[in-house]
Amino acid sequence: MEALIREDESAPSGIPQRWGDINWRRVERNVRAMQIRIAKATQEGDWRRVKTLQRSLTRSFSAKASAVRRVAMNQGARTAGVDRVAWDSPEARWESIGRLKRRGYRPLPLRRVYIPKANGKERPLGIPTLHDRAMQALYLLALEPVSEGTSDPNSYGFRINRSTADAMSQLFVSLSKKASAQWVLEADIKGCFDHISHDWLERNVPMDKAILRKWLKAGVVFQSQFQATDAGTPQGGIISPTLANVALNGLERDLMKFLRTKLGTVQANRLKVNVVRYADDFVITGNTPEVLEHEVKPWVEQFLAVRGLTLSPEKTRIVNIADGFDFLGWNFRKYSGTLLIKPSKKNALAFYRRVKEVIRTHHGKKPEDLIRTLNPMLRGWAQYHGPVVAKAAFTRMEHLIFRCLWRWAKRRHRGKNTEWVRKKYFASIGMRNWVFGTNVLGKAGERYWMELYSIPSTPIRRHKKVRGDYNPFDPAQEMYGETLRQERMAESMSYRKQWAKLFMSQRGLCAVCQGKITKETRWHDHHIEPRVSGGSDALGNRVLVHPDCHVQVHSYGQVAVKPVFD
């Protein structure tokens, strides 16, 4: 297997000499082969072998190249750390592969920035240097197969092929029936990422302890002042979500074991205790408030205390399902015995305020610029709530945004009457009236009506939940995982049907490197025969490629071809 991992380096005719020479399909295959072996050793409990395999993986060329590529293809690659270094060329990325070495490695402090939260407060974000991000991505390749094999079944945050919609669907399963639990412990961990115990992480995270300690103690720089870090794992690091998941793994599994040991299996099952977690947000169901208050909550507090964490007294509460609760931007509540999941009022209000602020700041700009800014926001919010009972919320949001746009249009033309403003900015499209838009010049010189995305037109589709026992590194489940990935990616592209068709025809693979196209890698729509050379917009002349591969095609002579499958 080591020969396979080092195939790129050992074959004289296959040694890459530059970034554009790397065979990314081989790189992906080599990394996955070793990850599968790590996952198998984890399932067998052979921790010495896990450590050996992890060491081999982090020293291989394939893993290093994969780590650098992940960082370079991420949108955050444009944001530099304290060293202000950016990988703005293939040559810089190629050189960075050779610098990923354990010996002599010393991470730089993180650059501290603050981003606004929905409640008006600010969340600290730590930005590592690109080199440190690549090192984290490298060791994450070795840690992920272990964390996936030891995760709770109903943990859905920052895991492969799992999402908030999966957590929502699992809660629907746990609460929707007439005989389901009627009480919910809505829990919130106080500053989870900022307070995780370093000592606990160093003792329990199955990875290189020396490297982990260096990351945890790297410190941060804010306003040119260095601040030491004695606890927590910084939000912004590639490996931080997985470290938090490792710290909270066992919340579901160990709680059920505790209840069965104390009360017996039959009595524990009657309590209808179910845990659903997304990163550091979780809810626990129960058939009575007493079992949640006197059995479950004390155990959870003790579980968290060992890891240096505590529950937030203000945000942790026990509620009846008839009164409802908010989780991940949705409101879960039973109406006359029927569970309905709707967009939460808090989520809708926060989104409306963001849209309102965008409209306000575009007062003097062109209408097409405003539409191009708003459409991804509106589409993203609507698609997020697409799997729940959201039609009423969609209609309400459409009305509120219309009022903002009407004020925006009237303010731009104070001397014009209402009818003039209506004809300039609003039109009737099919059965829809008062559609906000503007006439713009197309690429072929024709004029067309660019319209604002219609939130109520978003279809409501029931989400297909991932299996609880799904392990992305189990070869027996590879076909299931690949089908799931392709279906979900095609669904996320449904607003652009041509992209969805291209994605499915390419089986979700880049037309240049044959690597997987995911939400994290992103994609570009490439014309095989350029339009400036007479190429058409037909699907037969277009392929989806990674953004980095797109640069390789146009600047370094790489070839994108229409894939053909047997």
Side-chain angles (χ1 to χ4, degrees):
M1 180 56 70
E2 184 63 17
L4 175 63
I5 291 296
R6 298 187 177 276
E7 183 181 353
D8 327 306
E9 304 165 286
S10 59
S13 61
I15 299 177
Q17 300 296 324
R18 61 190 180 105
W19 182 260
D21 292 339
I22 298 175
N23 185 332
W24 291 110
R25 192 170 187 180
R26 178 184 295 174
V27 163
E28 186 177 303
R29 185 172 64 247
N30 291 346
V31 171
R32 178 160 178 80
M34 186 61 85
Q35 287 181 318
I36 289 173
R37 294 182 66 191
I38 295 173
K40 187 172 184 288
T42 301
Q43 291 175 346
E44 295 171 352
D46 190 347
W47 296 107
R48 177 174 294 183
R49 187 159 167 260
V50 166
K51 187 175 180 180
T52 301
L53 292 170
Q54 285 182 320
R55 188 186 302 116
S56 297
L57 178 60
T58 54
R59 292 179 179 180
S60 70
F61 173 83
S62 290
K64 291 177 181 179
S66 180
V68 170
R69 194 183 197 216
R70 172 174 178 172
V71 173
M73 291 174 66
N74 191 285
Q75 285 182 306
R78 302 172 186 172
T79 306
V82 293
D83 61 354
R84 300 295 177 180
V85 172
W87 294 342
D88 50 7
S89 68
E91 290 76 18
R93 297 168 189 171
W94 173 252
E95 292 175 3
S96 65
I97 296 176
R99 292 198 298 268
L100 293 184
K101 297 178 180 179
R102 182 183 187 277
R103 180 176 296 178
Y105 171 64
R106 186 175 181 180
L108 292 175
L110 290 82
R111 182 160 67 90
R112 171 75 82 203
V113 297
Y114 288 88
I115 58 176
K117 296 172 65 175
N119 58 8
K121 297 182 180 180
E122 291 185 323
R123 173 185 286 112
L125 189 68
I127 303 177
T129 65
L130 290 175
H131 177 64
D132 291 334
R133 275 179 251 178
M135 282 292 286
Q136 290 190 16
L138 175 63
Y139 280 85
L140 179 59
L141 289 173
L143 175 61
E144 216 165 22
V146 183
S147 67
E148 283 290 339
T150 56
S151 291
D152 292 325
N154 293 310
S155 163
Y156 298 99
F158 304 107
R159 294 179 61 191
I160 299 171
N161 278 342
R162 292 175 183 248
S163 65
T164 53
D166 290 310
M168 176 272 296
S169 299
Q170 179 59 33
L171 268 179
F172 182 84
V173 171
S174 302
L175 296 170
S176 60
K177 298 182 179 65
K178 186 176 181 180
S180 297
Q182 299 297 307
W183 294 88
V184 174
L185 171 63
E186 185 185 357
D188 182 88
I189 301 175
K190 188 175 182 180
C192 178
F193 283 87
D194 297 327
H195 297 105
I196 297 179
S197 167
H198 285 182
D199 291 338
W200 190 95
L201 288 173
E202 290 178 24
R203 288 195 308 269
N204 294 277
V205 176
M207 65 169 289
D208 190 309
K209 309 299 182 185
I211 294 292
L212 176 60
R213 187 179 303 111
K214 289 179 180 180
W215 286 334
L216 296 176
K217 303 299 183 183
V220 298
V221 172
F222 179 61
Q223 295 180 344
S224 302
Q225 297 293 319
F226 176 81
Q227 302 171 6
T229 48
D230 300 319
T233 175
Q235 296 187 60
I238 286 178
I239 204 170
S240 295
T242 303
L243 293 179
N245 269 339
V246 172
L248 295 176
N249 280 341
L251 182 64
E252 176 184 1
R253 183 178 57 251
D254 294 350
L255 173 58
M256 301 310 297
K257 186 185 297 182
F258 161 75
L259 292 175
R260 292 190 185 104
T261 302
K262 182 176 182 179
L263 304 173
T265 302
V266 175
Q267 184 61 29
N269 290 339
R270 288 175 180 170
L271 297 179
K272 300 174 184 176
V273 174
N274 296 286
V275 182
V276 177
R277 179 169 68 86
Y278 186 90
D280 58 332
D281 294 326
F282 63 93
V283 295
I284 304 177
T285 68
N287 66 342
T288 65
E290 289 77 21
V291 70
L292 294 176
E293 182 68 44
H294 302 302
E295 298 288 351
V296 173
K297 188 178 176 182
W299 184 91
V300 170
E301 289 173 335
Q302 184 179 359
F303 175 88
L304 295 176
V306 174
R307 293 151 175 79
L309 303 172
T310 58
L311 291 175
S312 171
E314 302 84 14
K315 298 180 181 179
T316 300
R317 61 194 187 115
I318 296 173
V319 298
N320 190 282
I321 190 61
D323 298 323
F325 65 95
D326 290 349
F327 184 60
L328 301 177
W330 292 299
N331 178 261
F332 297 75
R333 184 179 174 184
K334 272 191 174 180
Y335 298 82
S336 302
T338 301
L339 179 67
L340 295 183
I341 306 173
K342 304 178 181 180
S344 70
K345 293 181 180 179
K346 181 180 177 182
N347 178 274
L349 180 60
F351 175 72
Y352 171 64
R353 285 174 175 168
R354 281 178 53 212
V355 172
K356 190 175 179 180
E357 179 63 18
V358 167
I359 295 174
R360 186 189 68 80
T361 56
H362 279 68
H363 173 61
K365 298 184 180 180
K366 296 179 180 178
E368 53 263 41
D369 293 335
L370 175 60
I371 293 173
R372 288 191 181 102
T373 303
L374 284 180
N375 275 356
M377 295 173 59
L378 302 182
R379 185 184 299 112
W381 184 79
Q383 288 187 338
Y384 182 82
H385 295 293
V388 303
V389 183
K391 277 299 182 184
F394 286 174
T395 302
R396 173 65 177 166
M397 186 62 67
E398 180 97 337
H399 174 68
L400 292 174
I401 294 173
F402 164 78
R403 288 170 51 186
C404 287
L405 291 171
W406 179 252
R407 289 193 294 267
W408 176 87
K410 290 281 288 182
R411 196 182 302 121
R412 287 169 65 91
H413 306 281
R414 298 181 184 274
K416 300 295 183 179
N417 60 39
T418 298
E419 183 63 17
W420 187 93
V421 173
R422 184 189 70 79
K423 288 182 177 180
K424 182 170 179 63
Y425 292 108
F426 298 90
S428 295
I429 308 293
M431 301 294 292
R432 297 165 53 217
N433 298 318
W434 291 87
V435 178
F436 180 79
T438 185
N439 278 303
V440 297
L441 190 64
K443 295 176 182 177
E446 81 288 356
R447 301 197 70 85
Y448 70 97
W449 182 258
M450 175 189 285
E451 64 181 78
L452 191 71
Y453 179 79
S454 171
I455 293 179
S457 67
T458 306
I460 302 296
R461 296 192 184 99
R462 177 67 62 86
H463 179 76
K464 182 181 178 181
K465 191 183 82 69
V466 66
R467 286 187 342 217
D469 64 346
Y470 170 62
N471 185 337
F473 301 103
D474 183 354
Q477 301 186 51
E478 186 164 9
M479 183 61 71
Y480 169 78
E482 189 60 25
T483 302
L484 187 67
R485 179 185 72 88
Q486 291 187 23
E487 288 177 351
R488 293 190 172 182
M489 279 295 296
E491 186 175 324
S492 70
M493 294 176 173
S494 59
Y495 67 95
R496 289 287 295 271
K497 293 183 180 179
Q498 292 187 342
W499 281 358
K501 289 180 180 178
L502 288 174
F503 180 86
M504 295 306 292
S505 69
Q506 296 175 207
R507 295 187 183 175
L509 302 179
C510 171
V512 175
C513 70
Q514 303 301 309
K516 294 179 181 178
I517 294 176
T518 66
K519 292 180 181 178
E520 289 72 30
T521 65
R522 298 173 295 124
W523 62 88
H524 281 175
D525 187 347
H526 171 70
H527 288 70
I528 299 173
E529 178 71 20
R531 282 176 295 186
V532 295
S533 302
S536 71
D537 278 330
L539 291 181
N541 188 49
R542 292 159 56 192
V543 288
L544 298 182
V545 299
H546 292 133
D548 181 62
C549 293
H550 207 200
V551 174
Q552 296 290 321
V553 170
H554 287 284
S555 302
Y556 297 92
Q558 287 277 21
V559 178
V561 296
K562 203 76 174 175
V564 178
F565 300 102
D566 295 333

